[in-house]
Every structure is written in structure tokens, then in C-alpha cells.
Amino acid sequence: MDLETAKKDFRDVVEKLHAFQHAMGIMEYDALTTAPSDSAEGRGKSMGILSRYTYDLTAGEKTQQAVAYLKEHLDELDELTAREVTEFDKRNEYTRSIPADEYVRYRMLLNDADAVWHKAKENSDFASFEPLLQEIFDSNKRFATYYKPDEDPYDVLLDRYEKGMNKEMLDKFFSGLREKIVPLIKQIAEKEQIDSDFVNLPYPIDKQKEFSSYLMDVIGIDKTHCIIGETEHPFTTGFNRKDVRITTHYHLNDFTRSMYSVIHEGGHALYELHSGAKYDGTAIAGGSSMSIHESQSRFYENLIGRSREFIGYIFPKLREIFPEQTAGHTAEDFYRAINKSEPSLIRIYADELTYPLHIMVRYEIEKAVMSGKAEVKDLPELWNEKMKEYLGVDVPDDRNGVLQDSHWSGGSIGYFPSYALGSAYGAQMLYHMKKDFDVAADVAKGDISRVTGWLTERIYQHCRMYDPGDLLKMACGEEFDPHYFTDYLTEKYTDLYDL
Amino acid sequence: MDLETAKKDFRDVVEKLHAFQHAMGIMEYDALTTAPSDSAEGRGKSMGILSRYTYDLTAGEKTQQAVAYLKEHLDELDELTAREVTEFDKRNEYTRSIPADEYVRYRMLLNDADAVWHKAKENSDFASFEPLLQEIFDSNKRFATYYKPDEDPYDVLLDRYEKGMNKEMLDKFFSGLREKIVPLIKQIAEKEQIDSDFVNLPYPIDKQKEFSSYLMDVIGIDKTHCIIGETEHPFTTGFNRKDVRITTHYHLNDFTRSMYSVIHEGGHALYELHSGAKYDGTAIAGGSSMSIHESQSRFYENLIGRSREFIGYIFPKLREIFPEQTAGHTAEDFYRAINKSEPSLIRIYADELTYPLHIMVRYEIEKAVMSGKAEVKDLPELWNEKMKEYLGVDVPDDRNGVLQDSHWSGGSIGYFPSYALGSAYGAQMLYHMKKDFDVAADVAKGDISRVTGWLTERIYQHCRMYDPGDLLKMACGEEFDPHYFTDYLTEKYTDLYDL
């Protein structure tokens, strides 16, 4: 092995993996948006064969030799290639530490779990999902231990989703949030509630589509590189910076759900669309971390999309498209309606203020199960207790409770905190952005270009070149500090509810 | 090498190739129906990498050894595997006979040609496309000679699309058609023309979509396994018998274009959807030949879809969906409108009677160029002469003439005759089907099940298990005989125009 051969072999693997991921990504997207309803069987078979190629490419001997050689010669590599090698290796080290047969069994478990969870959710029947969830938690605990035998397994999982994240940091983060948010929620409960009935009138779907297209324009999405589709659960997927897809789900009697899905997924899309060209097809293409990615979706959704200025700008268009439904209402009415805070059952439809508490419930449950302090069979009860305690709501059934999210059935233990962290990252970015220019004035004019420009320069263009903590520090000139987020919430809701 | 190893290696290659073709097929479908407009670059790169895998799988040494071994031991194989090996080898032998570097150059030529042709068509500028078309014809001639040095190159190409097809047979076929069709066209020209103005009123696209969905139901397409999309040029693609896609293109001022695209592509889809389960994932999955496939699309489009009984059955629904546009018209009016025969410029919108002459023009031009009797640079002139001679129309420009089809820029020389042969195959099948049951009575009731059942039993379920000629003989109990087609046309148009 010599340096040039190792580099060539490595580049070859990265390019091939990218092609497979591209193809499989399109197949998944097609499955969720387009494919005939009963076509999973053949797709599963083909995906299985292609997955095997990606596994062999990743874990194959030739790849391992090249990566090992390059890791020993990092100082002879340019900065980009060195980062690629490190990131590539880190991402795959976890998987490689799992014995092959266990890995295959786990992939099959997740396949089954998805179907079982869907059905269990439909029937509000946690018991049928429980044995699989138990095995998912057990497997994740075991895998974390294979990977880092001397570390706390939950910390290992948290760190995989967000480098540097651990229980100690999150405990502090969430208790800080709770301390500020819970009193606000209590104060709001005593105030007169906002009338938002007009957003629940029927808004015809074809008109909602027209509105979606308008919103994409407002936030500056280049439609020659990003399209919008429809799925049960909205998501974003990007194959490269010239091919990004967002999806939404239209609800006739609550058009704001799709509206904020479009802006949320639009934020993810802007990140992907503004990746640096020099990282095209490299091992560090894509976003820095899940929290950084969520910081962007929630930035556009909430900090921009739920701002008074944004609503002021788009309201005339809303009036134009939906004259009857919005008759007699002002931009301020709409601003208040879409910011109405109310403890509720479902995370994805929660308002900005109560949202972090939904995440906290999940975080505490994961932590308890991973440490052995709670058992999987007791999760529904634990869930309902915590929802009552933090949000004051009574969970009527598991469908609206512990079974609502797909993350656990998909094997994502340790993922949820990313959402809350992302919200907090975003608030910190906004604080610093405001020092550079008058964000509110730009948004009020419907001009998002400086906002996106600021984020592109500091975040988007860098892909995975930096760890999330470093990136945030580069962007804001300081370490992560969640007080910007609680300050933002306090200020906004104090104004809104006249607290 | 032993038999079991060879069989295992062969099966492995077939399954892997299928997975790659599935993935790349979905990427192509996505590109044509869904993908952001400016996303070709990244897709091209990924497709290139995946293509290389399929080339290596097909032409790789291990594959060649397994296939060579199995070919020598055909009598020790079950019937299915023996057929798979023979078909697999035949399909790949042609490609393998081309030197690798020439093959790669040719693929790149076709890539370029597609873009150049699109632009040339847009600008009616044959000259810009001419050098590439020249190279495409030259390459095909050369490749045919590599493959079978002792045979006529055009015969070699014709046989690739339809086993057994050659110039001698086609000359006879087309001169027979011409002899019968041209006098009919002349007689019709002297008759009062059919009034079809009401089909050219604006028919709103969303209502046309509703009508498409209804038509899919009428011809018995299982929508859990087949969906409809929209593209510039309608097509059908099937990944397996549980995942088939058809597309259409809606024209506001001629809803019959989409209507007959849906039924035409629906016929292709029915073929795929009714493949025999035992051929799933084997090397003989799919249709027997292009002509057999076209026989089915044109069977449903014309023999069923343009029949008086079919129109009688669907007309009430058409009235229901488009009450204003169809006001004052009867099913008979509509039957006459969609069967109106009129010499025209564009093949894909030609009526049933003049259609074969469009194909004949293409066939004669290909034959002349392949034999050196015509030069590529003279094709526009030749095209226009033949269109005048056979159809009596003046071609105003190359966009509406020699540049209208994508086949030549895609390298398909020798493909066009499949369309005319398919029409003739279908008429022969209908003749024999009618001996088994009252087809017209079933269609008049909107019950297509016995029609599809007959075709499934004789054609669809067999995939590529038999050569097209053998399959037709098995289905009809006799050799191919084009007189059924000319009889059908004569009877239909004599009645329609009272000749």
C-alpha cells in the first residue's frame, strides 16, 4: 500500500457508496410518495441486494486497508481528505464493532418492528409492540457496549447523533428549559385563550398547494433543484445539492399543519441546497449533525416562519388565495393563531413553547430504560405520568401517547434530544445574526436572502467539515448557550399573552 | 466448475442484475415524472457507476464461465433454467461482440445524441443532428457485422427486436398492408368527413384524471400494483409484476390523446401485471418481444378501446364527467370521432388505418440507409417524399417530419416495424378469441375479464419462455398471418365510412 493507492481506493469506495445511496434513496422516496401501494415485496428484495453491496463496500477488506493506511498518514493528506477519512471511519466503526450476524438480525428486527409498530399504533396496543421494543433497547445497549465497553451506553448513543452530547449536558439543558418554560405555560393557562377557529375552516387542498409553492418562493427555494411531494409524514431527503425533495401532508381542516411542514422541511432543504460545491460527492457531503439540521428546519419554521414580520408579509397572499376563510381577520389575528400555546398530546403538532417538554418526556424515558431504572413494559404508564406532570394533559390511549412516534421502532434511541437542541442552537444563531443586520426588517419585506446568506456562510457550505459544536462556535463566536432560547421564548410569549 | 456451482453463480448474477435494473429503472422513472428539472448531473454520475456494475456482472469472467458451462450442459437443466441461460446469453452476446472501447464510445454518443436531437427537433434543424445520426447508423451497421459477419446488417438488427423478423418478411408484410390500406384511404377521402369538433373542446385536466382512473378500472388494472403518472411522452415501465407504472400526457383541447394513451399503456401494463409468478426474478421475466408487447397495447387501445361496444359502455361515464362538452352527442358520435381517419403528420396521433403507413415510411428509410442506397444527409427529403407518396401530406418542417421520433437518437434502428407487426398480431389474436367467446358482448357489458384471461393464458403468463413466433402460434394455432389485420381494417372502415 502507498498513499496514492490508498487515496484512490478510498475515493473509489466513497463514489460507489454515494451512487448506491443515491439509488436506494430514490427507491425509498418513490416508495413513500409514488409507488403502487402493494409493491413492497420486490422492492425489499432489490434493496436487500443493494444493501449488501454497500455493506461490503464499507466493511470490505480493501476499504479497511485503505482507511487504516490513510489514518496512519493523516498529516500527509489535504485537510478535506483527512476529514473525509476520519468521518468515514467514525461513522462505520460503530457498525463494524457489531458481530455481522447480530447486525443482520438487528436489521431484520427493525424491518419487523416497523410493521408491528404501525399496527400497534393503529390499535393503541402497546403490548404487541413491547417485546420488539424490548429487543431494540437491549440491542442498542449491547451495541453501545461493543463499541465503547467503558462508557455509559446511553452516552455512547447520544454522542453518535450529536458529537459531544451526553446525559450530563442534557440533564442540565432540559432542567434549565423546564425551569423557564413550565412557569410560562402556567401563566398562559390563566390568560384568555387565543381564538384560532378560522384556521380550522376547510381550506381546499389544491389552494393549499398553491400556497405551498408560494411559501417555497418566499423562503428562497430554487425549484429547479427542489420539489415538493406528499407523504403521510413530512420529511426532506437530498441526494446532492442539486436534487433535494421535501414532502408535506395536507389537512383540509388545518392548513397551518402543511404550511409549517413546508417551511420546516424547506429549512432542511435550504441547508442541503447551499452545501459547498467542493464537497460534492465526498464523504462529508450533507449536514454536520442532526441537531444542526434540526436547528435549520426549526429556524425557518419558528424563528422566521412564526414571526410577526413573516406573517405580516405573507398575509396578503393568504387573503388572496383564501378570501372567504380569512375574511374579517388581520395579520395579527393570524400571527396569534399560529402561535397559540396549549399543552397537547402530539409532539409534531405542538407549539414552540410546549414542544421541548414533549422531547424531555422522551429523553427521560430513554435514559431510564437505558440505565435499567425503568422497564419497557412500564413505558405507557411512565409516559402518561410524565405528560401529566410536565404538560398537564391526560393521555387517552397509547396511540396518542407512547406509540405516536416512529423513532424507537426505527431503532433511533438517543435521537430525540436533537430536536430540542436544534431549537436552542437556532435561537443562539438568530441572536448573533441580529447583531449583523436587521433580520426583522428583511423578513418584513419578504427578503430572506441575507438570512440564508448568513447561514450559508457560517453553516451550510461547510457540510460535515466541522463537528457540530465547533460549527456552532464558529458561527456564533461562543460555545452553545441555551439561555438565548429561553430568553427568546420568554420574550415572545410574554408579549403574545401579555404576561 | 460443476453444475451446481455454475447454476448458483448464474442465479446470483441474474438476481443482482435484476436489483440494479430495478434501482436504475426507478431512477429513470423518477427523472421523467418527478425529479427537480435541473438534477440530471448527479443522477448521470450515479447511473454511470451503477451501469458499470451491470456491465461487469453481465460480461464478467465468472458470469461467462458459468454461462459457458451451463450452455454445454443444457440437457441437464430444467426447462426454465435452460431457457434462462439461452436467453441471457443471446441478449448479451451482441453486446459482448462489440469491442469494449467502441461500446463505451457508442453509449456516450447516444447520451450526446439525445440532447442534440431534442434541440434539433425544437428548432427543426436536421443539419445539427445529421452527423450524430450518421454515426449512429454507421455504428449499428458495424456492430451488426461484428456479431454476424455473414448476414445482412439490417436483418441482424431486425432479428434482435423480433426474433425471425427480416427484410424479406417485412417487405411482403408492408406491401400487403399498403395494397389494402391505400385504396381505403383514397375512398375515405372522397366521403363526407366525420365531425369530431366536440372532442376538441376544453376538457379540464383534473376531470381528465378522473376519467383516466375510471378507464384503468374498466380495463381491469389492479391499482395496488399499477399507478399512473404524467410525462411528456407516455410510456410503461414494470419492475416486477407487482410494480408497474404507466404514464400519460394530458392535452386540454384533445382529451382523447390521453384517453388512448391510458388504454394503450394500460395494455402494456396488463401484460406485465399478469406475468407468471414462477418467472419472478428470473432471466425471462418480462414480455416475449417488442412486437408481442405492442400487440397488447394496441389490442386494448384499438381492437377493444376503439370498438363500438367499448365506446357504448364508457359513454355514460364520459357524459357524467363532462356533461357540457358532450351535450347533444351520442355514443355513436363519439365512436365516429375517435375513429376518424385522416392522413396526418405525426405517427403517435395517427388513426388506426393510416398508422401502418407511418411505420412503413420509417422502415423503408432504415432499409435504404442500412443498405447504402440512401444517405443520412438526404433523409429529410426522402421522408417528405414518402409521406407525400403514401399519405398525401406535405411535411412543413423537420420537427413534424424526420425529427419527430426519439428512436433513432436512442440508437433503436430496426425497432419501428414492431409497432405495425404488433397491430397485426393483435388482429389475429382477436379473430381466434372470438371463436372462443363473444368478445363484443363482454366488452359491451364492460366486462374485460375473459379477454384478459384469454390473453393471460396464451401470452402474458409465459413471459419470455417462448420466442414471439412460437408464442403467437401457440395462442392462435397457426403461423402469423397479416390478412386478419387488413380484413379487420377493411371491415371497420367500410362500415364507418359507408364505403
Side-chain angles (χ1 to χ4, degrees), chain A residues 230-247:
Chain A
E230 282 178 71
T231 48
E232 181 63 27
H233 301 281
F235 66 87
T236 301
T237 185
F239 306 113
N240 52 61
R241 73 189 160 81
K242 292 190 174 174
D243 189 348
V244 180
R245 323 281 177 96
I246 66 172
T247 73

Side-chain angles (χ1 to χ4, degrees), chain B residues 16-212:
Chain B
K16 284 176 174 166
L17 275 174
H18 179 77
F20 279 101
Q21 279 149 6
H22 189 170
M24 291 164 75
I26 298 266
M27 286 176 95
E28 280 165 15
Y29 177 83
D30 174 86
L32 291 166
T33 56
T34 307
S37 57
D38 190 7
S39 62
E41 195 186 325
R43 187 167 47 249
K45 222 167 172 177
S46 293
M47 296 276 268
I49 290 172
L50 299 177
S51 300
R52 181 71 209 207
Y53 274 94
T54 66
Y55 184 87
D56 290 348
L57 275 169
T58 307
E61 206 176 324
K62 201 172 158 191
T63 309
Q64 292 315 316
Q65 281 172 357
V67 170
Y69 186 91
L70 293 173
K71 269 173 73 183
E72 281 165 26
H73 297 80
L74 279 184
D75 51 354
E76 295 167 51
L77 299 174
D78 60 280
E79 197 192 0
L80 170 55
T81 312
R83 176 76 183 176
E84 283 187 271
V85 171
T86 316
E87 281 291 289
F88 181 93
D89 191 51
K90 201 179 70 189
R91 238 180 295 159
N92 297 315
E93 206 187 338
Y94 182 84
T95 310
R96 285 201 316 269
S97 69
I98 304 166
D101 59 334
E102 272 197 58
Y103 181 79
V104 171
R105 262 208 315 279
Y106 181 64
R107 300 311 310 178
M108 287 163 67
L109 168 66
L110 293 187
N111 250 335
D112 295 345
D114 181 65
V116 173
W117 165 73
H118 264 103
K119 218 173 160 190
K121 181 178 175 183
E122 217 175 289
N123 301 326
S124 260
D125 171 24
F126 181 79
S128 65
F129 180 50
E130 190 215 308
L132 287 97
L133 185 58
Q134 180 74 56
E135 216 177 317
I136 289 171
F137 268 105
D138 289 348
S139 302
N140 273 278
K141 209 186 285 189
R142 220 166 47 242
F143 296 167
T145 311
Y146 290 143
Y147 180 49
K148 295 200 170 161
D150 303 327
E151 293 185 20
D152 176 89
Y154 192 44
D155 279 344
V156 172
L157 298 182
L158 289 169
D159 184 78
R160 282 197 70 219
Y161 290 111
E162 187 75 2
K163 195 172 165 159
M165 181 160 73
N166 58 39
K167 285 189 292 189
E168 192 190 336
M169 177 268 223
L170 285 173
D171 282 344
K172 219 175 112 192
F173 171 65
F174 280 114
S175 76
L177 283 190
R178 193 180 161 187
E179 208 171 283
K180 297 284 185 181
I181 292 173
V182 170
L184 284 172
I185 293 174
K186 286 194 174 141
Q187 282 177 273
I188 289 171
E190 287 157 19
K191 290 283 181 173
E192 193 186 339
Q193 293 311 294
I194 291 170
D195 173 16
S196 61
D197 286 356
F198 77 103
V199 309
N200 296 114
L201 294 172
Y203 285 64
I205 306 297
D206 60 329
K207 293 287 173 189
Q208 288 196 45
K209 288 184 185 175
E210 193 185 330
F211 190 52
S212 294

Side-chain angles (χ1 to χ4, degrees), chain A residues 15-16 20 22-23 30 34-39 41-43 46 49-50 53 224-225 227 240 242-243 245, chain B residues 15-16 20 22-23 30 34-39 41-43 46 49-50 53 224-225 227 240 242-243 245:
Chain A
E15 284 178 358
K16 284 176 175 166
F20 279 100
H22 189 170
D30 173 86
T34 307
S37 57
D38 189 6
S39 64
E41 195 187 323
R43 185 166 50 247
S46 294
I49 290 171
L50 300 176
Y53 274 94
T224 68
H225 293 132
I227 52 147
N240 52 61
K242 292 190 174 174
D243 189 348
R245 323 281 177 96
Chain B
E15 283 177 0
K16 284 176 174 166
F20 279 101
H22 189 170
D30 174 86
T34 307
S37 57
D38 190 7
S39 62
E41 195 186 325
R43 187 167 47 249
S46 293
I49 290 172
L50 299 177
Y53 274 94
T224 68
H225 293 132
I227 51 149
N240 53 61
K242 293 190 173 174
D243 190 347
R245 324 282 177 95

